[in-house]
């Protein structure tokens, strides 16, 4: 009788351990899937993009700001260090100190990746 009771206790402990491992795997898998499916926005804000255009390209008047995928021609103008990064850029249109129309491109992931047209 005592041997049977010990076997049942051992079986119960093993079953609980297995259940714990299974639950742990399921819960960890769900959280990693949630992170993978999380929608992420740009790291750079619209305001930072505008400030970058003002600081680096002397934009004094901003007429329009949009966030979009660069066209094929615009992709060719990307800085070399940004070529393998995101092609989503803020396009800041405005005028510089001389009154000339300027278009500035600022990466949505890194404000240090910028250029003008």
């Amino acid at each position: 009788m005592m041997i049977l009771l010990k076997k049942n206790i051992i079986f119960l402990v093993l079953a609980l351990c297995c259940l714990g491992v299974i639950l742990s795997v399921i819960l960890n898998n769900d959280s990693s899937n949630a992170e993978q499916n999380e929608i992420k926005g740009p790291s750079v804000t619209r305001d930072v993009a505008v400030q970058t255009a003002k600081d680096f390209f002397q934009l004094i008047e901003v007429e329009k700001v949009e966030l979009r995928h660069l066209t094929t021609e615009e992709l060719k103008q990307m800085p070399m260090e940004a070529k393998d990064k995101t092609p989503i850029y803020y396009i800041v249109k405005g005028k510089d100190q001389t009154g000339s129309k300027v278009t500035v491109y600022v990466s949505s992931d890194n404000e240090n990746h910028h250029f003008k047209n």
Side-chain angles (χ1 to χ4, degrees):
M1 179 77 153
M2 191 64 129
I3 295 174
L4 186 58
L5 184 59
K6 285 183 181 178
K7 285 183 178 180
N8 285 341
I9 290 174
I10 292 172
F11 176 76
L12 183 59
V13 169
L14 287 174
L16 287 173
C17 287
C18 289
L19 182 60
V21 169
I22 291 170
L23 284 174
S24 174
V25 169
I26 289 171
L27 291 175
N28 284 335
N29 192 25
D30 284 347
S31 66
S32 64
N33 284 342
E35 290 173 9
Q36 290 175 358
N37 294 332
E38 183 180 325
I39 297 174
K40 296 180 182 179
S43 302
V44 175
T45 66
R46 178 186 187 280
D47 292 340
V48 169
V50 168
Q51 192 60 50
T52 300
K54 289 178 178 180
D55 292 346
F56 286 90
F57 302 103
Q58 293 71 46
L59 217 66
I60 58 169
E61 182 183 325
V62 176
E63 297 171 353
K64 183 179 179 182
V65 180
E66 64 180 315
L67 179 65
R68 64 171 170 79
H69 192 289
L70 295 178
T71 65
T72 305
E73 287 303 311
E74 293 166 341
L75 286 169
K76 294 175 186 175
Q77 298 174 35
M78 285 175 69
M80 273 315 257
E81 66 272 11
K83 291 286 185 184
D84 62 339
K85 309 292 185 216
T86 184
I88 308 298
Y89 274 62
Y90 286 97
I91 290 70
V92 183
K93 295 184 179 188
K95 293 182 181 175
D96 64 12
Q97 294 173 337
T98 66
S100 300
K101 289 190 175 197
V102 178
T103 301
V104 176
Y105 303 84
V106 181
S107 171
S108 64
D109 279 348
N110 185 340
E111 69 267 18
N112 294 317
H113 297 161
H114 48 73
F115 60 96
K116 81 172 188 173
N117 184 355

